[in-house]
Amino acid sequence: MGSRNGPFSHTLLVIHVLLVVTTVFSDSTESEKLVTFKRSLLKAEALSNWITSAAPCNGDKENWRGVICGKDGSVFGLRLENMALSGTIDMDMLAELPGIRTLSFINNSFEGPMPDVQKIRLLRSIFLSNNNFSGVIRDDAFAGMSSMRKVELQNNKFTGRIPRSLSEMKILVDLQMQDNEFEGEIPDFEQKNLKVNFANNRLYGPIPPGLRNQDPSSFAVVFVISPLIFRARTTAKNGYKYQQTTKLDKNNDYKTNTKDIEMPSYEEESYKRTPNGGKLQFVRNDITEFKLHDLLRASAEVLGGGSFGSSYKATLANGPAVVVKRFREMSNVKKEEFYSHANRLGSFSHPNLLPLVAFYHKKDEKLLITDFAQNGSLASHLHGKRKPNEPGLDWRTRLSIIKGVAQGLDYLYKELPHLVLPHGHLKSSNVLLNDAFIPLLADYGLIPLVNKRHAQKFMVAYKSPEFTYHDSTTTKTDVWCLGILILEILTGKFPANYLKQGKGGSSDLETWVNSVVREEWTGEVFDKEMKGTKNSEGEMLKLLKIGMCCCEWNIERRWDLKAAVEKIGELKERGSDEDYSSCTSDGAYSSRAMTDEDFSFSVTG
Ligand SMILES: *[C@@H]1O[C@H](CO)[C@@H](O)[C@H](O)[C@H]1NC(C)=O
Ligand SMILES: *[C@@H]1O[C@H](CO)[C@@H](O)[C@H](O)[C@H]1NC(C)=O
Ligand SMILES: CC(=O)N[C@H]1CO[C@H](CO)[C@@H](O)[C@@H]1O
């Protein structure tokens, strides 16, 4: 018996020894790798039982806290949730664990960029929600990750666009991106059975076709933290991009069908309970008053996420279309100040100002409601996509727009004499055009309401040279913004540096202005789309010089508003040439002394 079993037992023994050896060997390396991984974490007290003298797994049972063990006894995943961890997630080390397929770091204190998930190609799920991750995620960050089923990034501080590679992961079923600062448009997703959530980001534009079946709340602008919930469902068929407030009903091709905005009943309850809740303060009496309730019931479409917050076009039943703008960054202003300033803005009446209709003030919610301008923003006309045969704005229209802008600005200076920056945020996306193409200034007079830090980061006046270099603004700062706008209108070039946050945009804008000046000398300065009429070149050139005198770096020499308004007012659609040769603060031209003879260019040709 013994002899018959001998060789068999021997074989078993060898196999057993081999198994023990390989298990011990692989366990010890997994342990070592995980302990090395742990070293890059901070505040890892919760992982005190991660020590190399024990294996992470005992069969498919975990020995170590937060380890998920596979059937084969190797580490299948990590679930390090609610552990107050911070520091670095060492993906290189995790990538050395061949069996790892899932990672969760939910509710810790990790910061910085998203860990490079591609280091573990076979990963099936990654959960990073409720941390402080930030920064842009590369477009191709998920490229080639064909096993991925779940990606949860919600409640972090991610910025930039939604990475396109997410839409290429074929078997993805769950994508949670809400409560971040993602911006731009949502790429299309074609995965079947995919559940997404993009709510409460800075996204804009139509909901792409592949996502039309999603729960509308997945695109809501805010969740329950704020009482206001817009539940929007879009049936838009085009990819037209809304930047700030751009044209909407331009024609059928651009038309975004309205979405249903609905306020869940418990939200309405919360409005009723709060004192003064739900009360819109109307500042004009030429409009039939409506209630916040009506506004939230109205069909609405998202216009975009500007630098202050999102805006919506709401079309009231039997009523006009209005624009509702939510301001996130006005928390430092007391209610009384807010009321008094908003009422003041509401008292303004000028053909070139977008009129305020009503406002709403609550601790955590501030809304300004304005008229809706039919023809979108000047920016969308200068820089937006056009249909092939659609002409650009002609000289005549551009001139009348800039004249209107100057008039509107002049009015603001008269009405708000106590403010250094009566407008503060003059740029082409804040110049809206009504059905007759009359320009209407928007987002004016907000400096007293917007939190200072936010204002200095986003508002155009703070990109001026004087603020960049001397931390100061003057009553000529809005004139500088007007100058940039004039150059933008004439050249058709977008001063891209507006998009930069914070200070420092101005040195780039200087470069931009200088490039305009250089091109002036080469004769290619004017937008080719700007068809001039006969004899209009001289007037264009005058406007160009006015623009330059407004953009003058030296504040002493820069024109004041009065001079700029006067000179703009004198411009004609076409005219005889008059020689300007100096640029001094009293409305003459000097520093960039140029005469018409210096240029040979043709706009009409
Ligand atoms: C998040 O983690 C902390 C411990 O760091 C815990 O106290 C808290 O309850 C967790 N929050 C949730 C929502 O689980
Ligand atoms: C994120 O950072 C903010 C401050 O920057 C802090 O107040 C907050 O507690 C952090 N959140 C987490 C989950 O660590
Ligand atoms: C060029 C352009 O978009 N024009 C439109 C301006 O608004 C009016 C009224 O909505 C339209 O009729 C124009 O087509």
Side-chain angles (χ1 to χ4, degrees):
M1 257 165 99
S3 65
R4 250 195 287 147
N5 286 340
F8 187 47
S9 318
H10 184 69
T11 316
L12 266 185
L13 183 69
V14 169
I15 290 171
H16 186 70
V17 168
L18 272 174
L19 272 176
V20 167
V21 167
T22 47
T23 315
V24 166
F25 182 74
S26 73
D27 273 355
S28 71
T29 37
E30 280 199 322
S31 306
E32 278 167 14
K33 284 168 185 162
L34 284 174
V35 167
T36 308
F37 163 81
K38 179 180 135 179
R39 282 196 204 111
S40 62
L41 301 175
L42 298 173
K43 306 227 171 71
E45 288 80 25
L47 305 181
S48 58
N49 72 352
W50 285 32
I51 42 171
T52 43
S53 55
C57 295
N58 179 11
D60 62 358
K61 299 273 182 313
E62 74 272 11
N63 263 341
W64 290 8
R65 197 170 164 202
V67 169
I68 303 170
C69 298
K71 288 204 176 67
D72 63 353
S74 69
V75 175
F76 179 79
L78 294 181
R79 185 185 287 152
L80 307 182
E81 300 174 357
N82 312 323
M83 292 178 173
L85 299 171
S86 58
T88 307
I89 296 177
D90 184 348
M91 293 297 277
D92 288 307
M93 198 43 68
L94 294 181
E96 291 195 16
L97 302 169
I100 206 149
R101 297 290 179 271
T102 176
L103 291 174
S104 173
F105 299 100
I106 295 173
N107 184 31
N108 284 288
S109 297
F110 289 108
E111 296 176 351
M114 184 184 78
D116 188 354
V117 291
Q118 271 172 326
K119 296 227 158 110
I120 309 176
R121 290 256 165 196
L122 296 175
L123 212 56
R124 294 180 195 167
S125 48
I126 178 102
F127 305 93
L128 299 175
S129 53
N130 295 55
N131 278 282
N132 265 335
F133 287 110
S134 61
V136 175
I137 303 177
R138 282 196 338 266
D139 218 28
D140 61 354
F142 294 90
M145 305 207 54
S146 53
S147 309
M148 193 72 101
R149 294 173 61 78
K150 297 185 177 190
V151 175
E152 300 199 352
L153 306 181
Q154 70 268 34
N155 221 339
N156 279 290
K157 292 175 181 156
F158 288 117
T159 53
R161 297 184 164 258
I162 303 276
R164 209 160 275 278
S165 49
L166 284 170
S167 66
E168 291 155 8
M169 297 191 291
K170 294 232 161 29
I171 61 169
L172 191 68
V173 291
D174 182 23
L175 178 61
Q176 307 289 322
M177 307 290 274
Q178 67 271 26
D179 301 302
N180 278 289
E181 292 161 25
F182 288 113
E183 44 192 41
E185 288 184 73
I186 304 173
D188 202 4
F189 285 79
E190 282 168 5
Q191 296 95 327
K192 294 207 172 63
N193 307 322
L194 174 64
K195 224 178 143 304
V196 299
N197 195 336
F198 291 112
N200 202 17
N201 280 289
R202 298 176 179 171
L203 300 162
Y204 58 83
I207 296 172
L211 298 177
R212 302 261 164 85
N213 298 328
Q214 300 287 325
D215 184 326
S217 65
S218 315
F219 304 97
V221 182
V222 164
F223 277 129
V224 271
I225 322 155
S226 155
L228 191 64
I229 294 200
F230 283 91
R231 303 220 300 170
R233 189 201 294 278
T234 175
T235 48
K237 288 209 177 55
N238 62 79
Y240 190 70
K241 188 184 278 178
Y242 298 119
Q243 190 182 35
Q244 304 268 358
T245 311
T246 72
K247 57 187 151 194
L248 288 163
D249 286 327
K250 194 167 176 307
N251 53 43
N252 285 336
D253 266 24
Y254 284 170
K255 197 167 212 150
T256 319
N257 291 335
T258 49
K259 311 139 210 178
D260 304 320
I261 278 188
E262 207 181 287
M263 190 165 62
S265 52
Y266 65 90
E267 293 299 334
E268 288 183 42
E269 284 309 309
S270 92
Y271 266 105
K272 284 179 196 145
R273 278 198 305 272
T274 43
N276 226 346
K279 189 103 174 72
L280 286 171
Q281 308 294 320
F282 282 81
V283 294
R284 274 166 39 196
N285 40 26
D286 63 335
I287 191 160
T288 316
E289 294 199 5
F290 47 88
K291 299 224 158 55
L292 187 65
H293 172 91
D294 304 323
L295 202 57
L296 294 168
R297 291 250 170 238
S299 69
E301 51 200 282
V302 180
L303 296 180
S307 33
F308 298 119
S310 315
S311 25
Y312 316 83
K313 175 192 177 189
T315 309
L316 297 150
N318 315 319
V322 292
V323 173
V324 181
K325 234 175 168 161
R326 308 184 65 208
F327 288 85
R328 300 186 205 212
E329 303 287 344
M330 289 186 171
S331 53
N332 297 347
V333 191
K334 289 203 187 66
K335 187 177 169 186
E336 300 71 42
E337 290 169 48
F338 188 96
Y339 267 61
S340 116
H341 191 68
N343 274 318
R344 177 152 190 79
L345 296 182
S347 72
F348 291 177
S349 166
H350 187 274
N352 297 113
L353 291 189
L354 183 72
L356 191 63
V357 172
F359 63 89
Y360 177 84
H361 179 285
K362 248 185 85 183
K363 190 161 169 287
D364 48 8
E365 185 69 72
K366 277 131 201 114
L367 308 175
L368 291 182
I369 293 138
T370 66
D371 275 3
F372 173 74
Q374 294 288 342
N375 273 312
S377 74
L378 174 62
S380 72
H381 285 275
L382 288 177
H383 315 296
K385 272 187 234 148
R386 276 198 308 273
K387 289 196 298 181
N389 296 325
E390 201 183 343
L393 296 179
D394 59 13
W395 158 244
R396 177 204 188 113
T397 311
R398 293 185 205 213
L399 179 61
S400 89
I401 288 173
I402 208 67
K403 285 190 171 191
V405 168
Q407 291 301 321
L409 202 53
D410 196 34
Y411 179 86
L412 287 176
Y413 269 70
K414 293 194 173 109
E415 291 296 317
L416 296 167
H418 58 294
L419 292 189
V420 175
L421 300 170
H423 194 296
H425 205 32
L426 180 63
K427 57 175 181 169
S428 57
S429 53
N430 281 336
V431 175
L432 305 181
L433 301 167
N434 75 3
D435 52 355
F437 261 77
I438 294 179
L440 306 170
L441 300 183
D443 279 358
Y444 48 84
L446 294 179
I447 298 268
L449 300 183
V450 180
N451 296 349
K452 200 167 158 197
R453 271 183 61 183
H454 188 79
Q456 296 186 348
K457 202 163 161 190
F458 289 100
M459 294 179 78
V460 177
Y462 295 103
K463 301 191 189 301
S464 62
E466 52 272 30
F467 189 75
T468 304
Y469 297 112
H470 307 294
D471 264 330
S472 70
T473 50
T474 82
T475 50
K476 286 185 178 178
T477 301
D478 271 332
V479 177
W480 179 83
C481 302
L482 175 67
I484 297 282
L485 185 72
I486 290 174
L487 300 186
E488 183 182 347
I489 278 198
L490 286 174
T491 61
K493 287 190 197 165
F494 181 65
N497 323 64
Y498 273 173
L499 301 179
K500 279 200 183 161
Q501 292 179 10
K503 286 168 75 167
S506 117
S507 63
D508 296 316
L509 279 170
E510 182 182 22
T511 314
W512 185 83
V513 171
N514 285 339
S515 77
V516 172
V517 178
R518 253 197 321 279
E519 285 182 12
E520 182 184 26
W521 290 94
T522 64
E524 305 209 320
V525 62
F526 294 118
D527 186 357
K528 301 263 180 299
E529 301 276 344
M530 179 173 66
K531 301 273 188 297
T533 47
K534 216 159 177 284
N535 298 332
S536 54
E537 292 94 334
E539 298 296 299
M540 291 178 194
L541 196 61
K542 282 182 201 164
L543 182 57
L544 184 67
K545 289 176 181 173
I546 293 170
M548 287 175 180
C549 288
C550 293
C551 286
E552 173 59 58
W553 223 241
N554 181 325
I555 302 240
E556 292 296 307
R557 279 209 302 259
R558 185 185 306 161
W559 284 0
D560 61 13
L561 186 75
K562 187 165 170 288
V565 170
E566 220 172 272
K567 290 292 176 192
I568 291 170
E570 287 167 10
L571 291 171
K572 301 185 195 69
E573 201 183 318
R574 63 180 89 161
S576 58
D577 290 350
E578 184 191 332
D579 187 28
Y580 290 88
S581 51
S582 57
C583 176
T584 58
S585 59
D586 57 352
Y589 306 76
S590 84
S591 64
R592 297 194 178 95
M594 292 162 295
T595 58
D596 295 1
E597 294 79 54
D598 291 328
F599 318 107
S600 53
F601 61 88
S602 163
V603 189
T604 41

